[in-house]
Amino acid sequence: MARNDNRFMTGIASARTALACNGGPPVRDPARPWPRWPAPSQEAERNLLHVLHGDRWTLTAPLGRAESFERRFARMFARYTGTRHCVPVDHGSSALVIALESLGLRPADRVLVPALTWTASASAALRAGLVPVLVDVDPVTGCVGPDDLDLDVDARAVVAVHWSCAMADIPAIADVADRHGMVVVEDCAQAHGAEWQGRRAGSMGRIGCFSMQQGKVLTCGEGGAVVTDDDALAPRLEELRADSRRHRSDSGRPGEQELVETGSIMGVNFCLGEFQAAVLCAQLEILDRQHEVRARNFAVLAALVDEIPGVRLLRPAPAQTRMSIYEVPFVFDRLPEGMTNADIARALTAELHTSFYITDTPLHVTPLLRPWTKSTLAPLADQFVALHRDRTFPNASRFYEHSVVTHHSTLLGSEPDMADIAAAVAKVAALVQD
Ligand SMILES: Cc1ncc(COP(=O)(O)O)c(C=O)c1O
């Protein structure tokens, strides 16, 4: 049927009025619930009560008889990521700040950061006295690739972000970075447990940084961690997050302090509290089971979406051997006439009664990355502005304008839930005219 055929146009108009957001019947019965998030384990409750009724609410309190949850989590998470050291912190942003500070770069050195990420990936560089330089991302995975690294700006580090459910190719990025004097910091805020050819996110760059903020697959509300195999960096990272103090080398006696005033590099207080660490120890125990459920559902959903013309799920690169699904991007090659992807997100939310939304605003257009609004950042801001005058980010912009995402908790549901999602996506995709 031709696009200007009257019957075709009438068909499109009635398909539009059939959308739940326009008063039509929704794909899914609103009474059917979705999985809740956060999903606390029973052990989390026991651990929290243990902290509440004990005398150590923070690692800076005097030593007790038992190991702190903070120390226990550090051991567990180093093992989970396949690294030698883990330094827990209060936020993923703090993890990135101390990671960059620990490298001993010069003031205002440049750091490459992909445009498609949360603002903290770049604002951390500014907080560490460095200048973030935004680069574009791979058109398939949405992650920075080796060819995206701008070698003309003489950067000293790259913050390689694993985005949504895909991973950046860290071995290939490290190969380029090594040859050009850059250090690779992995931003794994969205990738706990993801694997690239069997290697865990966070274990391939010099340092890996994680966020445990509420939306993340491993969460305690607000939290973070840095991991590394580098024995020289680990004590620096400890000092940078604990007012220049480091863990004592012996186990100490009850009543003594756990941190000693070593002061080899000046830090601030980014310590993780015991309540958060207690929750993380418990949640880490159930993370892999949750990963399995999400991976199974992702496979079901991907097969269903493959049948819908013009829409695809973001697929990781073949070398990614395990997904950690933080968000699921649905990429619409073309948008229905008169609709933006934000309209599609609203339509899907109305059909399914679970939140669909657009990705974080890319950093070249976000209102959140404006260093010139803070007087102490002025010298870095001038360079930031000058460096970005003529830059474009077509792949990041395309993801921003053509994809709609849902949170990983939606994938903790059942196969029929995946069928509902696919049916709603098909209903909206049918509005795209040939
Ligand atoms: C890619 C990325 N990096 C860094 C962060 C910052 O983590 P936090 O919010 O824990 O400071 C986030 C959080 O959303 C993120 O998604």
Side-chain angles (χ1 to χ4, degrees):
M1 215 178 293
R3 335 167 35 127
N4 53 1
D5 182 298
N6 268 349
R7 276 173 304 152
F8 179 79
M9 298 312 281
T10 315
I12 290 284
S14 67
R16 266 181 206 270
T17 49
L19 290 179
C21 61
N22 293 332
V27 163
R28 184 180 168 99
D29 177 356
R32 277 185 56 211
W34 289 93
R36 278 194 51 211
W37 190 261
S41 76
Q42 284 183 353
E43 200 190 336
E45 189 171 331
R46 276 196 296 276
N47 287 358
L48 277 173
L49 288 173
H50 187 87
V51 177
L52 185 67
H53 298 298
D55 48 15
R56 278 201 96 185
W57 287 13
T58 166
L59 105 128
T60 51
L63 279 169
R65 248 174 286 282
E67 180 187 42
S68 68
F69 279 107
E70 198 265 359
R71 285 297 74 203
R72 194 200 298 183
F73 175 69
R75 264 192 299 104
M76 288 172 72
F77 201 60
R79 197 176 335 118
Y80 186 79
T81 52
T83 54
R84 290 167 54 77
H85 307 278
C86 168
V87 179
V89 290
D90 57 356
H91 297 96
S93 310
S94 318
L96 288 161
V97 172
I98 64 168
L100 291 168
E101 286 178 336
S102 73
L103 301 176
L105 304 181
R106 287 167 310 170
D109 269 348
R110 293 163 182 179
V111 181
L112 303 182
V113 179
L116 194 62
T117 180
W118 179 240
T119 185
S121 309
S123 60
L126 294 160
R127 291 170 67 190
L130 307 166
V131 181
V133 181
L134 303 179
V135 294
D136 206 6
V137 293
D138 180 271
V140 177
T141 64
C143 300
V144 61
D147 298 337
D148 300 309
L149 303 180
D150 183 338
L151 303 175
D152 292 336
V153 295
D154 198 27
R156 295 279 66 92
V158 49
V159 173
V161 180
H162 302 303
W163 185 68
S164 72
C165 58
M167 286 179 87
D169 182 349
I170 301 296
I173 290 172
D175 193 43
V176 177
D178 283 350
R179 281 185 279 117
H180 294 87
M182 286 188 277
V183 179
V184 180
V185 172
E186 281 180 73
D187 184 341
C188 316
Q190 306 184 2
H192 316 60
E195 287 179 14
W196 187 270
Q197 292 174 328
R199 293 169 73 189
R200 286 264 156 112
S203 70
M204 294 173 282
R206 179 81 66 83
I207 307 179
C209 299
F210 292 82
S211 162
M212 281 71 157
Q213 175 272 343
Q214 165 144 352
K216 306 303 185 299
V217 293
L218 177 65
T219 182
C220 58
E222 297 282 3
V226 179
V227 298
T228 185
D229 275 334
D230 190 318
D231 296 343
L233 283 185
R236 289 168 71 81
L237 290 163
E238 281 186 18
E239 292 192 16
L240 285 164
R241 70 81 211 246
D243 280 331
S244 327
R245 293 166 295 174
R246 215 185 273 179
H247 287 277
R248 57 191 303 147
S249 48
D250 59 11
S251 51
R253 282 195 298 271
E256 290 183 337
Q257 288 297 325
E258 178 148 6
L259 299 177
V260 284
E261 298 185 359
T262 38
S264 66
I265 182 164
M266 191 175 143
V268 296
N269 184 1
F270 289 145
C271 291
L272 183 74
E274 278 294 276
F275 289 103
Q276 283 76 15
V279 172
L280 288 179
C281 287
Q283 294 305 104
L284 187 53
E285 298 281 6
I286 60 170
L287 177 59
D288 283 344
R289 253 181 320 192
Q290 293 172 332
H291 275 323
E292 279 167 29
V293 175
R294 281 187 286 251
R296 249 195 333 267
N297 279 326
F298 186 93
V300 170
L301 186 59
L304 293 170
V305 173
D306 275 350
E307 301 299 313
I308 306 173
V311 189
R312 64 194 158 87
L313 285 196
L314 184 97
R315 296 288 177 87
Q320 185 175 336
T321 41
R322 189 189 198 214
M323 276 200 290
S324 171
I325 300 165
Y326 168 61
E327 285 172 339
V328 184
F330 297 76
V331 185
F332 284 73
D333 292 331
R334 287 198 295 126
L335 304 173
E337 201 164 305
M339 283 178 96
T340 63
N341 59 335
D343 295 327
I344 294 179
R346 270 189 290 278
L348 291 175
T349 303
E351 297 295 342
L352 294 163
H353 297 275
T354 189
S355 179
F356 281 72
Y357 46 96
I358 60 173
T359 68
D360 291 327
T361 312
L363 301 189
H364 59 294
V365 279
T366 179
L368 307 182
L369 187 65
R370 292 184 172 161
W372 54 91
T373 58
K374 199 170 190 175
S375 56
T376 50
L377 291 178
L380 302 177
D382 290 347
Q383 287 202 44
F384 178 78
V385 171
L387 279 161
H388 291 90
R389 213 156 268 142
D390 299 318
R391 281 176 185 265
T392 56
F393 308 89
N395 297 335
S397 297
R398 189 161 170 86
F399 274 111
Y400 181 51
E401 287 159 15
H402 281 259
S403 57
V404 170
V405 303
T406 190
H407 185 244
H408 63 83
S409 54
T410 316
L411 264 67
L412 287 174
S414 60
E415 267 194 43
D417 292 337
M418 301 306 109
D420 283 350
I421 295 174
V425 171
K427 191 172 169 184
V428 175
L431 299 174
V432 176
Q433 299 168 28
D434 289 330

